Amino acid sequence: MVTRTNRIHGLSKGALVPIMAFLASCQPLPDDPSSPDSADSITFESLGFDSDSFDLASTKERQLKVFEALFMGKDGYRIPGDPDPARLRAFFSDLRESYFLKAEGIDYALIKRQYHTFTHAMDVMITTHALLRSGGGVYLSPGEQAVLVLAALGHDAVHTGVNNTFLINSKHPYFIETGADSLQEKRSIRQVMALLEKHEILVVSEGMKKALQDEIIGARNLIEQSILWTDISRHKEQMNLVTALVPQLNDSLAKARGSDGEGATKGANAADLDLAMQIHSSLPEEARVLLASFFLHVADISNPGRDWDTCERWAGLVMNEFFSQGDLEKKLGLPVSMNCDREKVLVPFAQIGFGKFVIRDLYALLSQTLHFGGNYLLNNFEINQRKWQEIEEEVKASGKPYSIRFEPPSKDGGWLGR
Ligand SMILES: [Zn+2]
């Protein structure tokens, strides 16, 4: 676990190991849930790329602490309209519940929903926050940053544990009702919007100032768009649009920094956050929404860019979930979806392929808009990719298949067993 060290700017992880071991022997670990001060150590500033989401999402109390640190602290995100804390807590509780629902007509004796849990939602929320704090915040208004982090928490609400292809091929009632395009993403949006409505958050009311009304309308649009863009089938389309936007972003950055851009760092850094006002107001709303959606998409598939243990753990969970879908597809006589056939798919091979065709370009593009954030994920990714290659070679040489380490999230974190 790397979390115990908050941010590790400038220090290699290798260098930290002996220091951490020494500290661990002298005092209770701050992230140990049994430690009395562990909840207090969850702050807006301490949540970052190296946070351990499995630990932070391990109990309902800790989950709420994370949410409070992000949205209710002195320096936390402010949602347009400034909803009171009681409303926000009630919204959080309902949103959390929607990750525990079972979809009609899905055989949960077979489907192992280990990946699309509330722990994943928490992980994506924390990573989105980390991307914003590493510099991404410069491109968005304060209200837009707040609702993007909220969208991250809701982006997989009411997820079924099977993918869109399964719902379409099995002619599931959700497909009949919602249609084929971004099926599950649209259902998550509907759920988030209904809960916002229920708790009167981001709701336009009469007597509200025009500027606030406009901000709320923009915020709701950002939530919808950013969740829609988490549909992996739109990955290429998004990559092309963001690539075309990069020169304009770096131009805005250079102007705000008062330089001509020559020799300057490409992509924003945490140090640029002071210039946020100047930069985000120089970008059109459409560009801001696209970029916000890009950050959420990155956060959603950021597991390959974490430390190896975290990367391998999430990879195991997602492959287990996929394989359980493959089992159900075989039972129902449906075509087995990509990466879902446990008889044919080799885990290291699938991870290497996903890295090569999706992740590497995604993180490289991120590094052009976010200098530290992008390079952090990219460096870890390259290390992990080599690890998968070593494992693949071992598997080939020994003839023994790779066995998945099964470490699901906690019950409070959304793992319902089976
Ligand atoms: Zn997701």
Side-chain angles (χ1 to χ4, degrees):
M1 288 208 300
V2 195
T3 3
R4 291 165 190 151
T5 58
N6 293 341
R7 307 268 168 87
I8 30 177
H9 300 293
L11 262 181
S12 77
K13 283 182 189 170
L16 281 170
V17 170
I19 305 171
M20 282 162 62
F22 172 72
L23 290 175
S25 67
C26 304
Q27 59 189 40
L29 295 170
D31 280 344
D32 176 356
S34 61
S35 157
D37 65 344
S38 64
D40 297 329
S41 67
I42 302 172
T43 62
F44 187 83
E45 287 301 327
S46 74
L47 296 165
F49 288 115
D50 48 359
S51 289
D52 180 351
S53 302
F54 289 101
D55 171 47
L56 291 167
S58 59
T59 67
K60 206 176 163 185
E61 291 69 33
R62 286 177 78 68
Q63 295 161 7
L64 185 61
K65 283 281 173 211
V66 172
F67 184 74
E68 287 174 345
L70 291 175
F71 291 100
M72 294 174 209
K74 195 163 48 70
D75 309 313
Y77 296 110
R78 287 279 170 272
I79 292 166
D82 226 355
D84 72 64
R87 268 183 215 288
L88 281 174
R89 281 193 197 94
F91 168 81
F92 174 81
S93 177
D94 274 355
L95 185 59
R96 177 181 181 276
E97 286 301 313
S98 54
Y99 281 86
F100 289 74
L101 300 176
K102 290 188 169 173
E104 56 181 280
I106 302 284
D107 182 357
Y108 287 102
L110 272 183
I111 292 300
K112 295 181 172 67
R113 191 168 55 184
Q114 299 176 358
Y115 179 84
H116 288 101
T117 57
F118 192 60
T119 301
H120 167 64
M122 292 284 298
D123 182 52
V124 176
M125 175 172 75
I126 293 165
T127 308
T128 302
H129 163 69
L131 290 169
L132 293 175
R133 298 314 295 161
S134 80
V138 303
Y139 302 115
L140 306 175
S141 73
E144 288 164 343
Q145 294 177 47
V147 298
L148 182 66
V149 177
L150 206 64
L153 188 67
H155 84 281
D156 273 332
V158 298
H159 197 285
T160 54
V162 292
N163 67 15
N164 285 343
T165 310
F166 179 93
L167 296 173
I168 295 165
N169 288 346
S170 65
K171 299 194 175 51
H172 190 277
Y174 294 165
F175 159 62
I176 310 294
E177 184 187 287
T178 309
D181 286 342
S182 305
L183 207 181
Q184 218 136 215
E185 292 74 16
K186 283 181 182 163
R187 296 190 73 248
S188 302
I189 292 168
R190 232 181 286 148
Q191 177 72 2
V192 172
M193 289 301 169
L195 293 179
L196 288 173
E197 208 77 34
K198 177 182 170 189
H199 296 287
E200 296 176 40
I201 299 166
L202 293 173
V203 174
V204 172
S205 63
E206 280 189 34
M208 212 176 236
K209 285 197 175 126
K210 173 83 171 63
L212 180 56
Q213 287 191 5
D214 289 347
E215 193 183 7
I216 288 176
I217 292 166
R220 293 171 67 94
N221 177 54
L222 191 144
I223 293 175
E224 277 194 44
Q225 294 303 317
S226 61
I227 296 180
L228 264 185
W229 277 113
T230 59
D231 182 351
I232 193 82
S233 71
R234 300 183 72 197
H235 170 77
K236 264 258 141 6
E237 183 191 352
Q238 191 187 58
M239 289 288 289
N240 293 339
L241 290 171
V242 174
T243 303
L245 189 64
V246 165
Q248 192 186 346
L249 299 178
N250 278 307
D251 196 42
S252 287
L253 266 179
K255 281 201 183 106
R257 286 167 174 166
S259 67
D260 56 9
E262 277 300 305
T265 313
K266 277 235 159 67
N269 271 318
D272 294 315
L273 287 171
D274 294 340
L275 308 170
M277 186 62 201
Q278 252 172 294
I279 298 169
H280 79 74
S281 51
S282 74
L283 296 170
E285 186 177 348
E286 207 183 325
R288 299 199 305 271
V289 170
L290 174 66
L291 205 57
S293 308
F294 176 63
F295 294 152
L296 179 51
H297 175 49
V298 169
D300 195 17
I301 48 176
S302 61
N303 303 149
R306 317 310 275 268
D307 63 279
W308 168 250
D309 284 350
T310 309
C311 161
E312 189 188 20
R313 185 173 179 183
W314 281 116
L317 296 177
V318 82
M319 294 309 294
N320 269 339
E321 188 173 304
F322 286 173
F323 289 158
S324 76
Q325 176 180 319
D327 296 342
L328 185 55
E329 287 171 329
K330 285 176 196 168
K331 189 180 161 194
L332 297 175
L334 295 169
V336 179
S337 301
M338 198 169 118
N339 282 332
C340 291
D341 194 332
R342 67 171 77 243
E343 310 298 329
K344 294 185 183 151
V345 178
L346 302 172
V347 173
F349 186 78
Q351 292 302 314
I352 292 166
F354 186 58
K356 199 156 97 185
F357 297 112
V358 177
I359 297 295
R360 183 175 283 125
D361 290 350
L362 178 71
Y363 295 173
L365 181 57
L366 180 72
S367 70
Q368 292 179 45
T369 66
L370 283 188
H371 184 74
F372 174 81
N375 284 300
Y376 174 89
L377 293 178
L378 196 55
N379 291 340
N380 279 339
F381 163 75
E382 295 297 356
I383 294 167
N384 294 335
Q385 197 72 350
R386 281 195 289 278
K387 275 284 230 182
W388 286 123
Q389 274 153 1
E390 280 166 29
I391 292 173
E392 194 185 27
E393 280 158 24
E394 265 169 47
V395 167
K396 276 187 194 154
S398 69
K400 270 201 281 176
Y402 168 82
S403 72
I404 291 175
R405 279 170 50 191
F406 178 61
E407 292 177 89
S410 67
K411 196 159 171 259
D412 268 4
W415 168 233
L416 303 175
R418 290 190 185 275

